[in-house]
């Protein structure tokens, strides 16, 4: 008996030395979700965040910051400044007259505007002007720089798939070597893009649903995403209002997704962008997904009820996260007002990989796949 014990100890240490682990020891670690690195549900409150951003806009010069953003850092993922293990985000502030240099990178990026007119992102030669509620895309591989031509600060929420790009180990790097040439001249490196597309190019080409120009090249630079880079808030509101007469989804209310108008696919390969409208009094069912979602409250107030009895309370401009595997429902707590949530998830990634699962809990407690 003693001998076997001794042999087992030898087995363990010899295995370790050879870079081998014993399954019967590891099994608990593999199977117990407590051992996994996952984000936790969390809210970043605008009333706390706004003064810090305002302070940063005062004392952190753009030349130093390069991009002036405070990053939404999930407390469970420290020291990484990530919202989930797939999604990264921040809140950016540009003072009047400020600008940020051109670059590109493998992660896809997006801006959702919270405040100010006169802000813009130049993407592949298009100057995308922005106002509150507009969505601006910089799909992976597209050159982009920002600026504020307006009279007041511009503030937006950035969402990127950076952790996914990093976790997939594709050794992504930022690229700064942007060159432009006039016909017949040598290419010169530049810090901003020359605007080469018509004002409102994306909107003119693609914003009429169901109709696509057939004489235009839809490939924009090295983009693997939608050729439409701007989605106007006014169009989203029009769509949502038209949909009010239809029966809402039991979990997500009246919801729409921004799509690539040439394919109907998500606007970037990895993430889905959309808006949920919860009318006053709507009582959604609980749901659970294998995907993770981050939200920004565009209008109204409410709370996310979690299965463990905890709740996340939020109001306008707050940002919050519901990680994969969480039972949750969003409740509009303002009896006289619509609730509108901007929602970004990694659902397209999970779907493509065969990992997507979505469940709904009915009023009687039964759980159904959806
Ligand atoms: C990025 O491209 C921006 O362009 C902001 O505004 C933050 C963080 C990491 C990687 C790329 C931007 C970023 C970023």
């Amino acid at each position: 008996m003693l001998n076997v014990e001794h042999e087992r100890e030898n087995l363990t240490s010899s295995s370790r030395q050879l870079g081998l682990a014993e399954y019967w020891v590891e099994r608990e670690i593999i199977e117990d979700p407590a051992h996994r690195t996952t984000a936790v549900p969390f809210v970043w409150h605008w009333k706390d965040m706004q003064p810090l951003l305002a302070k940063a806009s005062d004392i952190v010069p753009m030349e130093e910051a390069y991009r002036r953003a405070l990053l939404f850092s999930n407390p469970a993922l420290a020291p990484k400044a990530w919202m989930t293990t797939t999604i990264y985000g921040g809140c950016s502030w540009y003072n009047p007259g400020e600008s940020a240099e051109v670059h590109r990178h493998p992660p896809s990026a997006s801006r959702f505007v919270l405040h100010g007119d006169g802000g813009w992102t130049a993407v592949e030669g298009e100057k995308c002007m922005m106002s509150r509620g507009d969505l601006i895309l910089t799909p992976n591989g597209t050159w982009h720089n920002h600026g504020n031509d307006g009279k007041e600060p511009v503030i937006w929420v950035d969402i990127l798939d950076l952790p996914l790009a990093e976790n997939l180990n594709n050794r992504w790097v930022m690229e700064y070597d942007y060159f432009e040439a006039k016909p017949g001249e040598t290419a010169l490196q530049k810090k901003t893009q020359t605007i080469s597309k018509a004002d409102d190019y994306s909107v003119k080409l693609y914003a009429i649903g169901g109709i696509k120009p057939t004489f235009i090249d839809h490939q924009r630079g090295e983009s693997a995403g939608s050729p439409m880079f701007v989605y106007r808030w006014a169009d989203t509101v029009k769509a949502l209002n038209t949909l009010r007469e239809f029966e809402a989804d039991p979990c997500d209310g009246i919801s729409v997704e921004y799509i690539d108008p040439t394919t109907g696919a998500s606007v970037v390969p990895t993430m889905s962008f959309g808006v949920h409208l919860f009318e006053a009094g709507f009582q959604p069912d609980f749901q659970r997904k294998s995907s993770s979602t981050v939200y920004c409250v565009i209008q109204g107030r409410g709370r996310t009820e979690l299965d463990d009895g905890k709740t996340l309370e939020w109001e306008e401009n707050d940002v919050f996260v519901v990680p994969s595997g969480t039972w949750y429902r969003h409740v509009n707590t303002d009896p006289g007002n619509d609730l509108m949530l901007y929602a970004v998830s990694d659902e397209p990634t999970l779907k493509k990989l065969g990992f997507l699962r979505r469940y709904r809990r009915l009023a009687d407690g039964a759980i159904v796949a959806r």
Side-chain angles (χ1 to χ4, degrees):
M1 204 55 203
L2 262 181
N3 204 16
V4 172
E5 250 172 54
H6 184 62
E7 284 183 296
R8 296 255 330 214
E9 273 169 24
N10 280 347
L11 176 65
T12 301
S13 67
S14 302
S15 303
R16 268 201 204 129
Q17 272 167 28
L18 290 171
L20 296 166
E22 296 157 302
Y23 175 80
W24 50 95
V25 177
E26 288 296 309
R27 186 175 160 205
E28 196 186 328
I29 295 170
I30 295 165
E31 294 185 12
D32 183 356
H35 286 285
R36 290 175 209 156
T37 308
T38 47
V40 290
F42 196 78
V43 192
W44 293 270
H45 294 284
W46 176 245
K47 67 171 172 24
D48 302 329
M49 193 158 66
Q50 195 275 349
L52 296 184
L53 269 170
K55 180 52 83 178
S57 79
D58 241 6
I59 64 175
V60 182
M62 273 306 286
E63 299 73 40
E64 178 199 329
Y66 186 72
R67 300 303 201 235
R68 193 194 292 109
L70 287 178
L71 305 175
F72 302 119
S73 310
N74 196 295
L77 301 179
K80 295 285 190 185
W82 291 351
M83 300 181 85
T84 73
T85 51
T86 52
I87 301 172
Y88 172 100
C91 195
S92 292
W93 179 306
Y94 288 79
N95 288 319
E98 285 184 334
S99 63
E101 292 172 22
V102 65
H103 71 193
R104 67 175 180 179
H105 37 74
S108 289
S110 61
R111 328 287 151 197
F112 185 78
V113 184
L114 294 186
H115 177 83
D117 296 308
W120 51 270
T121 298
V123 198
E124 292 294 329
E126 177 180 355
K127 186 173 186 177
C128 305
M129 298 303 300
M130 48 171 91
S131 295
R132 183 170 171 86
D134 291 346
L135 172 65
I136 316 289
L137 297 175
T138 52
N140 64 1
T142 53
W143 290 103
H144 56 282
N145 52 288
H146 311 292
N148 179 2
D149 295 347
K151 293 193 168 60
E152 48 176 349
V154 167
I155 305 167
W156 65 66
V157 170
D158 310 83
I159 301 290
L160 293 84
D161 57 6
L162 185 150
L164 182 66
E166 200 166 307
N167 280 322
L168 290 174
N169 249 326
N170 70 354
R171 315 309 297 164
W172 70 271
V173 290
M174 306 289 292
E175 288 179 60
Y176 301 99
D177 49 345
Y178 177 76
F179 285 85
E180 267 182 19
K182 292 199 184 102
E185 289 181 14
T186 323
L188 291 176
Q189 185 155 5
K190 297 194 66 199
K191 291 194 166 183
T192 55
Q193 299 177 70
T194 300
I195 302 307
S196 56
K197 302 279 195 234
D199 289 351
D200 250 359
Y201 178 89
S202 282
V203 172
K204 284 174 182 160
L205 259 64
Y206 300 114
I208 299 176
I211 298 178
K212 171 187 87 173
T214 54
F215 65 103
I216 303 276
D217 182 4
H218 300 300
Q219 182 60 43
R220 305 191 64 182
E222 292 184 15
S223 172
S226 170
M228 181 166 175
F229 293 158
V230 184
Y231 295 76
R232 294 274 172 234
W233 181 240
D235 290 336
T236 310
V237 169
K238 190 174 160 197
L240 289 169
N241 282 337
T242 307
L243 293 167
R244 282 178 199 269
E245 68 178 86
F246 296 88
E247 193 183 342
D249 178 82
C251 301
D252 290 327
I254 296 166
S255 71
V256 292
E257 183 189 0
Y258 297 101
I259 53 161
D260 176 337
T262 64
T263 61
S266 55
V267 291
V268 297
T270 49
M271 294 181 288
S272 159
F273 294 76
V275 176
H276 303 310
L277 164 65
F278 296 94
E279 292 181 322
F282 183 71
Q283 288 296 316
D285 285 344
F286 274 84
Q287 64 175 321
R288 179 189 207 190
K289 296 179 189 175
S290 55
S291 53
S292 301
T293 312
V294 301
Y295 298 91
C296 178
V297 184
I298 312 166
Q299 184 189 304
R301 62 177 156 82
R303 64 169 179 267
T304 301
E305 297 177 3
L306 307 172
D307 207 31
D308 58 9
K310 291 199 183 109
T311 59
L312 307 175
E313 306 275 344
W314 31 254
E315 56 190 9
E316 207 168 279
N317 289 354
D318 288 355
V319 170
F320 63 97
V321 54
V322 177
S324 147
T326 312
W327 278 107
Y328 70 98
R329 65 175 197 150
H330 305 311
V331 181
N332 178 356
T333 55
D334 185 342
N337 200 0
D338 288 334
L339 165 66
M340 282 196 267
L341 299 177
Y342 167 65
V344 186
S345 86
D346 55 9
E347 195 168 307
T349 301
L350 282 108
K351 192 165 187 179
K352 286 182 182 102
L353 299 178
F355 293 143
L356 184 64
R357 300 289 185 277
R358 307 190 321 153
Y359 303 100
R360 167 185 169 203
R361 193 161 64 209
L362 306 178
D364 65 4
I367 292 169
V368 291
R370 60 192 222 108

